[in-house]
Amino acid sequence: MSVLPPVPLPFGAIPLRGDAARAVAAVRLRALAADLPDGLSVRMMDLDDSNLLADFRVRVVATLEDPDHYRMAGEVGNFVTDHLGDRGLTAGIFRKGALVAYGALGLPSATDPNRGRDLDLPEAELPWVAHMSSAMVDPSERGRGLHHRLIDWRIEVAEALGRRHLVTTVSTRNHRSWGHLARHGIYPKRLIRVGGDLVRLLVHRDFTVDPVFDTASAELVAVEELASRWDVFDRGHVWGRVAAGEGASQRWYALCGRERDPR
């Protein structure tokens, strides 16, 4: 995917939202559009697409092999209205007019629900948080790299808007999703509880730092055990996923460890 150079806003300026942010996002959409497989197109979605997005989300969630992979009970606010209106941006990928994938980027203010608080960020940095929110792909279009393209687009938009922190929550068992995010430098940093009783990974990328894995601290934790391993995050975080075995005997593991001391 060809990438336009970032145009970050100076830290301390008023973060863009609404139409101004949408204009920045639309420019970044050109690279995504040029890189799509044949037969697909992409455009910014708006409030006129509310029913389309809401119906698509319900349909895709119903196809998930594990209901824990995405639970709408863990969301705050009105996802559709927030991400099609002034509080977010959403790119939709279409095949012959039918929505087949989307990627949503939340743009909270310091007074909105803000995952930066779960990272214990200083109040002054909360306006510079962007939520990676969610991306969904129709089962018929999976395996074509659409999720990775939508991750790239949201990273580019967040950086262009000067949003220093990218944050979201992911099910520990949804290793495909958090594994994809980790490949783009958005790492599971801690476990939190959302929606009452849901245990979720809090994933985060800070555009001002470039962490390096301390391989000497490497530890593998089975994905099915990760939700109970709060201790892992006391001494490091998750850097990616690793598969062991093949076929029915294949198991997935979280690759955990510390960051290398830069000194």
Side-chain angles (χ1 to χ4, degrees):
M1 179 177 181
S2 58
V3 178
L4 294 171
V7 187
L9 298 177
F11 193 73
I14 299 173
L16 298 180
R17 297 210 298 180
D19 290 342
R22 187 177 298 276
V24 173
V27 170
R28 302 284 153 174
L29 208 61
R30 297 172 189 167
L32 174 57
D35 195 46
L36 286 176
D38 290 344
L40 298 178
S41 61
V42 63
R43 66 170 173 82
M44 298 295 299
M45 301 181 72
D46 57 31
L47 288 170
D48 290 340
D49 296 303
S50 294
N51 291 338
L52 180 64
L53 181 59
D55 292 346
F56 180 78
R57 280 164 44 82
V58 170
R59 179 166 60 82
V60 172
V61 168
T63 70
L64 296 178
E65 59 189 33
D66 183 342
D68 187 70
H69 282 186
Y70 198 94
R71 299 268 296 277
M72 293 182 183
E75 298 174 346
V76 294
N78 184 316
F79 182 95
V80 171
T81 300
D82 289 349
H83 290 86
L84 297 181
D86 289 344
R87 295 181 178 180
L89 302 162
T90 302
I93 296 177
F94 296 81
R95 181 180 291 280
K96 296 181 179 179
L99 181 64
V100 297
Y102 78 84
L105 184 72
L107 302 176
S109 70
T111 57
D112 293 327
N114 191 311
R115 289 296 179 198
R117 293 189 176 89
D118 296 312
L119 280 169
D120 301 322
L121 293 179
E123 286 291 317
E125 290 191 30
L126 294 181
W128 305 103
V129 169
H131 291 161
M132 203 63 166
S133 300
S134 85
M136 294 186 186
V137 180
D138 186 277
S140 66
E141 299 287 350
R142 290 176 187 164
R144 298 165 63 83
L146 300 186
H147 190 201
H148 286 292
R149 288 173 170 86
L150 288 166
I151 292 172
D152 281 337
W153 175 73
R154 288 176 290 167
I155 288 173
E156 292 164 23
V157 171
E159 194 169 15
L161 292 174
R163 297 266 174 166
R164 172 178 173 177
H165 299 281
L166 266 180
V167 190
T168 194
T169 59
V170 187
S171 166
T172 58
R173 302 205 298 252
N174 192 359
H175 59 83
R176 181 177 290 107
S177 184
W178 59 253
H180 285 182
L181 292 169
R183 284 176 56 184
H184 296 261
I186 309 170
Y187 300 113
K189 295 292 183 63
R190 58 175 69 177
L191 288 170
I192 62 171
R193 295 189 185 276
V194 303
D197 63 342
L198 298 179
V199 175
R200 290 291 184 257
L201 291 165
L202 187 71
V203 303
H204 170 235
R205 175 171 172 175
D206 180 344
F207 287 119
T208 68
V209 299
D210 188 16
V212 178
F213 181 34
D214 179 1
T215 55
S217 68
E219 174 186 4
L220 292 180
V221 176
V223 164
E224 58 268 24
E225 299 173 3
L226 192 55
S228 64
R229 291 295 304 273
W230 298 70
D231 60 298
V232 164
F233 300 93
D234 292 335
R235 56 182 181 272
H237 61 77
V238 175
W239 294 83
R241 62 175 186 153
V242 176
E246 297 181 357
S249 64
Q250 186 180 66
R251 294 187 68 190
W252 286 96
Y253 295 85
L255 176 62
C256 309
R258 298 187 301 268
E259 292 184 15
R260 184 181 300 167
D261 188 334
R263 292 175 295 179

